[in-house]
Amino acid sequence: MPKTIEILNSIQKDIDKEIQRGSITRAVFDLDSTLFNVAPRFSKIIQEFCSDNIMRAKYAKAIEVLSQVQITHHPYYLKQFMADIGLDKETQEFYKEIFEYWKSRFFHDHYVIFDEPEIGAVDFVQELYERGVHIIYLTGRDEPRMKVGTIESLKKWNFPVDKDRAELVLKPYKELDDAEFKRDHFNIFPADEKIWFFENEPVNIHLVLKDCPHVKIIYFDSVHSGKAHAPEGLPTITHFKVK
C-alpha cells in the first residue's frame, strides 16, 4: 500500500495536470478529525469539568483520576473513554453530568478554537490553494453554534479563507444528517469537474461513493463513529506532510 507521502505527492501531480488543462479543480476537506485534531478541544472541556467546584465536590475520586489523564487523541465515545481510563464503574448520574457538560461545550464556537491542525494540514491546503485549486471546507458542524468559531480557527492557523476560492460550508441546522448533507453538496457541481474529497468518517464516504462516483475520495484514517466499516481500496492517509 502506498505511503501517505507518496499518495499526497501523487495527488498534487494529478491536480497540477488538471489545472494545466484548464479544468476547474476542487479540493474538499472535512474538518473534525481530518484537517483538525479535536483532542485539544476535548481536553479543554475535561479540564474545565475537573476544575468545576460543584463537580469536584460531587465526584472527587473520579475527578482525581480524570484530571491525571493526558489526552492526545480524541475519543469518539465519551463513555468508552471513561472505561479506557478505569472509570467504568461510576454512577449513572456521573456519566449523565459529564456527558451533558461535554455536549453543551464541544459543539460551540468558544471551544472549536482550541482545535489544532493535523500534521502538515495548513501547508498542504495552502499549497493547493496557491496552485489555483478551489478549496472547500465541508463540515458537519452547524452554522448557528459553530460558524463564528470555525472561521476564527481557520484564520488563526492560516488556512486560506476567502469568498472566491476558499469556501466554508456548514450545515444550516444541527439536525441535518451529515452524510446526506455532504452528498447533496457534491451534487451541485457538474460531473466533469475534478474533485478530491478528504474525509475520515466512513458513513459519509460510503454514501458519497455510492451517489457521486466522479468524486475522488481520500480516506483520512483517524477516529470515527464505527457505524460503518473503514472503506477498502481507497487512498488512505494519516497526515498531510508531503516531505
Side-chain angles (χ1 to χ4, degrees):
M1 179 179 293
K3 296 180 179 179
T4 291
I5 293 176
E6 295 172 354
I7 293 170
L8 294 174
N9 282 323
S10 177
I11 290 169
Q12 287 181 330
K13 290 178 182 177
D14 289 344
I15 284 174
D16 284 344
K17 291 177 182 177
E18 295 300 336
I19 291 175
Q20 288 169 8
R21 293 189 184 106
S23 304
I24 295 176
T25 305
R26 305 183 191 276
V28 182
F29 295 91
D30 174 53
L31 293 182
D32 293 340
S33 301
T34 299
L35 281 189
F36 281 106
N37 176 5
V38 301
R41 188 195 327 174
F42 180 79
S43 180
K44 176 66 175 176
I45 295 168
I46 295 300
Q47 289 170 12
E48 290 186 358
F49 180 84
C50 291
S51 298
D52 187 295
N53 289 331
I54 295 175
M55 298 304 169
R56 289 175 66 86
K58 294 175 71 173
Y59 309 113
K61 290 184 179 179
I63 283 179
E64 183 178 356
V65 174
L66 192 58
S67 63
Q68 301 301 313
V69 177
Q70 297 295 316
I71 301 171
T72 57
H73 295 86
H74 174 243
Y76 198 92
Y77 294 106
L78 184 62
K79 195 163 185 179
Q80 182 60 51
F81 168 71
M82 294 297 161
D84 291 343
I85 64 174
L87 292 178
D88 53 341
K89 301 188 186 312
E90 300 303 309
T91 64
Q92 287 300 312
E93 182 185 15
F94 169 77
Y95 293 131
K96 181 179 179 180
E97 289 220 62
I98 195 169
F99 177 77
E100 291 300 327
Y101 195 97
W102 165 84
K103 184 179 179 181
S104 66
R105 291 161 176 78
F106 192 79
F107 305 100
H108 194 282
D109 284 318
H110 179 68
Y111 289 88
V112 296
I113 62 173
F114 292 102
D115 295 347
E116 296 178 1
E118 292 286 354
I119 295 171
V122 175
D123 288 343
F124 184 74
V125 176
Q126 280 283 7
E127 285 185 17
L128 294 186
Y129 181 77
E130 290 168 6
R131 282 171 156 86
V133 176
H134 293 251
I135 303 297
I136 300 174
Y137 307 105
L138 182 61
T139 175
R141 300 177 183 184
D142 62 88
E143 289 190 19
R145 298 181 299 171
M146 307 180 78
K147 181 178 181 178
V148 173
T150 299
I151 293 173
E152 182 180 349
S153 181
L154 289 167
K155 290 181 175 179
K156 169 186 175 181
W157 293 105
N158 296 316
F159 283 102
V161 180
D162 64 49
K163 293 182 179 179
D164 295 325
R165 282 199 301 107
E167 179 185 9
L168 172 62
V169 181
L170 304 96
K171 296 193 302 186
Y173 52 92
K174 66 180 181 179
E175 292 82 8
L176 194 60
D177 179 80
D178 286 8
E180 293 178 1
F181 168 70
K182 293 187 175 186
R183 183 271 317 276
D184 291 346
H185 191 75
F186 283 115
N187 283 333
I188 72 175
F189 301 117
D192 60 348
E193 285 192 1
K194 307 302 179 183
I195 302 174
W196 280 260
F197 177 37
F198 299 79
E199 169 71 60
N200 71 294
E201 176 53 62
V203 173
N204 302 338
I205 289 173
H206 290 305
L207 186 60
V208 174
L209 274 173
K210 173 178 172 289
D211 292 351
C212 310
H214 61 290
V215 175
K216 299 179 180 180
I217 301 177
I218 297 87
Y219 175 48
F220 191 83
D221 188 7
S222 62
V223 65
H224 61 78
S225 68
K227 294 177 180 178
H229 61 81
E232 298 178 357
L234 292 180
T236 300
I237 63 175
T238 56
H239 59 79
F240 290 93
K241 192 172 180 62
V242 295
K243 297 179 181 178

